Amino acid sequence: MKFKRLLLLAIATHFSVQYVQAQFINHGPQVFAAAIQGSHFIQDTKGDDYIFTVVRGLPAKLVGYHLKTNKMVLNSPLPGTDGSWDMEVSSDNTIYVSGNGKIYSYRLGDKDIRDLGFVLPDQKVVWDLVAGRNGKVYGGTYPGGQVFEYDPKSGFKDVGSGAIQEGEDYVRSIAYDPKTDKIYAGIGSHAGFVELNLKDKVKKQLLAEQDKDHEFVYDMELVSGLKGGDRIFAWFNSAKGVETFIYNLQTKSYEQRMAPIEIKSIVKEKNSQKVYYTSAGRVYVLDFAQKTPKAEEIARIEGRGRAAILDSQGNYKVLTASHKLFTIDVSNKMVLNEMLLDIPKAPISIQTIFWGPDQKVWSSGYLAGNHGTYDPKTGEHQDYPGLHQTEGMNNMGNTIYFGNYTKAEIYAYDVTKPWSTSKQNPKFLGAIQNQDRPFAVLPLERRREMLFGTITGYGQLGGAIAHLNVDTEKLESFVNVIPNHAIMSLIDYNGKIIGGTTIYGGLGAIPVEKRGKIFEWDPESKKVLWTDSIADYWSVSGLFIGPDQGLWGFADGTLFKYDLEKRKVVFKKEVYKYTSTPSHIWRNGLAVSHPNGLIYFTVTDKLYSYDPTKDELKELRDNASLMILGDKGEIYFRQGTDLWSYDPAKQNL
């Protein structure tokens, strides 16, 4: 869909009658999605069923539907959060929604949600929620890896006495056993499965030895009333793969391992031992009346299961990521009804921007994925749905290459042909093994290759450089080329491939090195030729060719110039100084050399200009990050969901 965007001018007060074009122009949101996250069914006092879900965006929105009429009954923003990983219904029939360090509540019939505020100090994300006794709810957090309780009467408190697993940042999943008053927590980014006794605060690690190399224990559900003991269903997630496990609370043993299932879709039949769930577009049943339950497929659906119930007729109802609500007759193994919910689209944060070979600005979306373009010639925007979150883009000729999160997946799109994921344009070319985020993407036209530099998976150190032969589409990767360093930046400088590293790996990994490095990569032998550190900095990023044709870049928040022949720094300009150790540095400074002789760059969410001849640094704008140079000399950057441009040749109004 194409449409004209109104150009919102960022202007200062001006009283001159002469018309002068503004330097800063807001081109508006660029990437849109109708991605749903935390979801839950709820029933009112009359017995009517409703489904509520959170639509990702800025801000995220809680939307609800009355199932009898398919009528939307709520569309309320969630201030201060761009999405929600989970939703829960408490014992007093209140809906709770997780957010960015907050939770929200809603009761059927209310016009709006209630913002309950931040759950615990310094916690940025609430991942999973579970209902407790007497209207209480429990949740897990990042980066403290804590478990909190919310009591409507008394508010929030930490019930785990700090991190549930020492040294880990994530409580990614959570379950509650009302019989024993115990919490079960799934940990990351080094997997843990911890039992927390709420009475005496004793914590017990339940993770099997064979599972210690996983990254996360993701979604978790306790299913009670099963023959032989209540079970916890959960799944492991890591760069090496995904696996579901079933843990018996009575026998304290891992009973079964199976292909990944959608935990939030699990429902037990009240008067039987049957458990229903979804996995990869199918509905299954496990019958625990059998000695060894075996999964049996009973129906096929579309999308990943987000929430499910068994209705009053005994039918299995499931909401999927495709926005569809399926009703399945479990006895006759058939889909009775398929209802499409009218999920509103929302603008999402820009994750990456790139000047494409089609002379358009390409933007990718954070978390929900999707892409959009802005055409400076016409002011038109176009949506390109279907790909996951892109961390890095570059092109060779008319083909754009995307490096996507997760699993470092690589795609290629020919801009001269229609965008169609179903017709393999963009085309999936492979994934870089045991890696997650390909931020650095570099074309080597003389070799007919694209190079990708990556950040490894959660809790891991190291990175990779991958070579893609664009003619044969063969992808070859070289892991941990500089031990314990990830690859942030790559540049072709006078025929030499120069890179920059970070000592930080995936989230939750603890660095063992002290300094980031600049290095040279030999594309022929596929080896690092030499490395050097830029003083006591953690990272080297944003390598670029300066106005003097020298090699420039960023060491943390410092702009520097590097002499390759002497292998030494010949200039440094501190722009930003870290006052504390960050959780990670992946993609920091980004810069371009402008035809006017100045360097323009973004670092730590500010836009600057620097005149190397006068040694003059100017802050141009706050809340600005990422940046590229357009073909007419404009600087494009992001501000949240919006694409902005800055034209140095024009004056403010």
Side-chain angles (χ1 to χ4, degrees):
M1 180 183 68
K2 291 186 177 181
F3 55 92
K4 289 278 187 180
R5 292 193 184 279
L6 294 176
L7 301 183
L8 305 175
L9 302 184
I11 58 175
T13 305
H14 187 318
F15 300 101
S16 170
V17 294
Q18 182 180 3
Y19 176 76
V20 184
Q21 282 191 288
Q23 286 179 296
F24 286 99
I25 300 177
N26 183 0
H27 304 286
Q30 297 296 299
V31 190
F32 298 82
I36 60 174
Q37 291 186 287
S39 307
H40 215 288
F41 288 87
I42 189 171
Q43 196 173 81
D44 66 12
T45 55
K46 299 177 183 179
D48 284 358
D49 289 323
Y50 297 76
I51 182 69
F52 284 81
T53 189
V54 172
V55 184
R56 191 163 189 92
L58 272 177
K61 291 187 177 181
L62 176 64
V63 295
Y65 303 84
H66 182 224
L67 296 189
K68 276 187 179 179
T69 61
N70 192 19
K71 180 183 177 182
M72 183 184 287
V73 296
L74 182 74
N75 185 352
S76 179
L78 298 171
T81 192
D82 58 353
S84 173
W85 291 99
D86 198 23
M87 187 184 301
E88 183 61 289
V89 174
S90 64
S91 60
D92 61 3
N93 218 37
T94 301
I95 292 172
Y96 288 90
V97 180
S98 68
N100 291 350
K102 299 180 173 186
I103 64 171
Y104 308 81
S105 69
Y106 175 77
R107 294 188 68 87
L108 283 172
D110 290 350
K111 291 183 179 180
D112 296 295
I113 59 97
R114 287 183 62 209
D115 183 344
L116 301 177
F118 292 99
V119 299
L120 294 173
D122 302 319
Q123 299 310 290
K124 296 179 180 179
V125 181
V126 176
W127 288 108
D128 214 19
L129 296 171
V130 66
R133 300 170 180 165
N134 304 318
K136 297 176 183 178
V137 291
Y138 299 93
T141 73
Y142 165 86
Q146 296 171 265
V147 170
F148 68 88
E149 174 190 277
Y150 176 74
D151 186 332
K153 297 177 182 177
S154 57
F156 296 104
K157 69 177 181 181
D158 175 8
V159 294
S161 303
I164 298 300
Q165 183 169 314
E166 192 66 32
E168 296 302 325
D169 297 339
Y170 295 82
V171 172
R172 187 58 182 79
S173 56
I174 192 169
Y176 173 73
D177 186 355
K179 297 176 183 176
T180 60
D181 203 27
K182 291 179 179 178
I183 291 283
Y184 294 88
I187 307 299
S189 51
H190 300 91
F193 177 33
V194 178
E195 176 189 270
L196 168 66
N197 190 322
L198 291 176
K199 296 175 183 176
D200 57 18
K201 310 302 182 188
V202 171
K203 303 166 189 173
K204 184 179 180 181
Q205 181 62 254
L206 305 178
L207 191 72
E209 186 67 30
Q210 71 184 74
D211 301 316
K212 289 186 176 179
D213 56 350
H214 281 290
E215 295 168 7
F216 286 92
V217 176
Y218 256 62
D219 295 342
M220 185 182 295
E221 187 76 21
L222 190 154
V223 181
S224 59
L226 293 175
K227 182 180 177 181
D230 298 343
R231 269 75 160 191
I232 283 181
F233 289 70
W235 56 282
F236 294 111
N237 181 45
S238 64
K240 76 172 192 175
V242 181
E243 180 184 45
T244 296
F245 69 83
I246 302 175
Y247 183 83
N248 190 315
L249 292 181
Q250 181 173 306
T251 64
K252 302 186 185 305
S253 63
Y254 288 83
E255 282 188 338
Q256 201 167 340
R257 293 170 185 268
M258 53 202 298
I261 70 177
E262 287 127 31
I263 302 294
K264 298 297 182 183
S265 69
I266 292 176
V267 181
K268 180 189 174 294
E269 213 167 42
K270 284 185 179 179
N271 300 317
S272 80
Q273 291 292 305
K274 293 180 178 179
V275 174
Y276 299 93
Y277 65 88
T278 64
S279 175
R282 290 169 169 78
V283 180
Y284 293 90
V285 61
L286 275 174
D287 191 348
F288 281 82
Q290 301 172 357
K291 185 175 181 180
T292 305
K294 293 184 179 180
E296 178 189 354
E297 182 183 323
I298 60 173
R300 297 197 175 192
I301 57 174
E302 177 189 347
R304 294 173 57 86
R306 291 284 189 245
I309 56 167
L310 286 167
D311 65 19
S312 56
Q313 285 76 45
N315 297 316
Y316 179 76
K317 277 187 164 62
V318 59
L319 172 68
T320 73
S322 67
H323 306 169
K324 292 182 178 180
L325 180 65
F326 293 89
T327 302
I328 293 101
D329 183 331
V330 296
S331 299
N332 295 317
K333 301 178 183 178
M334 60 184 295
V335 176
L336 297 178
N337 188 42
E338 178 182 318
M339 183 169 71
L340 180 65
L341 298 181
D342 183 19
I343 302 290
K345 276 191 173 184
I348 59 177
S349 295
I350 295 172
Q351 176 68 3
T352 305
I353 55 175
F354 174 66
W355 183 265
D358 51 1
Q359 307 305 299
K360 297 176 183 177
V361 180
W362 280 77
S363 300
S364 71
Y366 170 66
L367 194 63
N370 294 338
H371 293 74
T373 59
Y374 170 75
D375 188 339
K377 294 185 179 68
T378 64
E380 291 182 335
H381 170 86
Q382 187 167 354
D383 293 324
Y384 294 82
L387 283 194
H388 295 152
Q389 177 179 313
T390 293
E391 308 286 43
M393 287 184 258
N394 216 319
N395 73 289
M396 187 179 295
N398 288 320
T399 301
I400 299 176
Y401 292 87
F402 302 91
N404 287 7
Y405 168 84
T406 60
K407 307 295 189 290
E409 294 182 336
I410 309 302
Y411 289 82
Y413 170 61
D414 184 344
V415 300
T416 65
K417 299 176 182 178
W419 176 281
S420 174
T421 53
S422 63
K423 294 181 180 178
Q424 296 190 61
N425 192 36
K427 182 180 181 180
F428 175 64
L429 302 180
I432 304 171
Q433 189 175 8
N434 296 325
Q435 302 296 305
D436 248 2
R437 303 175 191 269
F439 283 115
V441 187
L442 175 67
L444 295 182
E445 294 199 33
R446 63 185 179 277
R447 293 180 58 87
R448 300 293 294 163
E449 288 183 326
M450 295 294 297
L451 267 58
F452 299 87
T454 68
I455 311 292
T456 191
Y458 288 86
Q460 308 298 314
L461 292 173
I465 291 180
H467 286 242
L468 172 72
N469 185 308
V470 300
D471 297 321
T472 65
E473 298 182 348
K474 179 184 177 182
L475 184 65
E476 188 178 15
S477 59
F478 304 87
V479 180
N480 214 21
V481 294
I482 301 176
N484 301 314
H485 286 251
I487 310 302
M488 294 177 70
S489 181
L490 292 170
I491 188 171
D492 187 351
Y493 182 73
N494 293 337
K496 295 181 178 181
I497 308 307
I498 307 300
T501 78
T502 175
I503 64 171
Y504 295 92
L507 290 176
I510 299 174
V512 297
E513 302 292 331
K514 301 299 183 184
R515 298 176 171 183
K517 295 180 182 293
I518 188 169
F519 68 94
E520 182 178 349
W521 175 255
D522 183 355
E524 186 64 36
S525 65
K526 313 295 194 298
K527 291 181 179 179
V528 173
L529 299 179
W530 55 266
T531 68
D532 190 16
S533 297
I534 312 291
D536 293 321
Y537 296 106
W538 300 306
S539 64
V540 176
S541 67
L543 296 171
F544 69 102
I545 299 173
D548 58 357
Q549 300 305 300
L551 179 62
W552 293 66
F554 294 87
D556 300 346
T558 295
L559 178 68
F560 72 86
K561 180 181 175 182
Y562 191 84
D563 188 320
L564 272 185
E565 297 302 320
K566 297 178 181 178
R567 290 192 196 166
K568 62 180 292 187
V569 175
V570 293
F571 170 81
K572 286 195 300 184
K573 183 77 172 180
E574 186 178 277
V575 181
Y576 174 84
K577 185 177 180 65
Y578 285 86
T579 57
S580 60
T581 303
S583 63
H584 64 283
I585 299 178
W586 286 341
R587 179 177 53 178
N588 203 26
L590 292 172
V592 296
S593 295
H594 198 273
N596 66 10
L598 301 186
I599 295 171
Y600 293 90
F601 63 91
T602 54
V603 67
T604 58
D605 294 329
K606 293 180 186 292
L607 174 65
Y608 296 88
S609 69
Y610 178 69
D611 187 335
T613 60
K614 298 179 181 179
D615 189 25
E616 185 176 72
L617 179 70
K618 291 182 179 179
E619 181 182 325
L620 302 176
R621 192 174 187 86
D622 197 4
N623 194 16
S625 56
L626 308 180
M627 57 101 64
I628 57 171
L629 181 64
D631 65 347
K632 304 297 183 184
E634 317 96 313
I635 308 297
Y636 290 92
F637 61 92
R638 74 164 182 193
Q639 185 173 318
T641 63
D642 294 358
L643 177 72
W644 284 73
S645 64
Y646 167 75
D647 191 340
K650 296 175 182 175
Q651 301 177 31
N652 276 323
L653 288 173

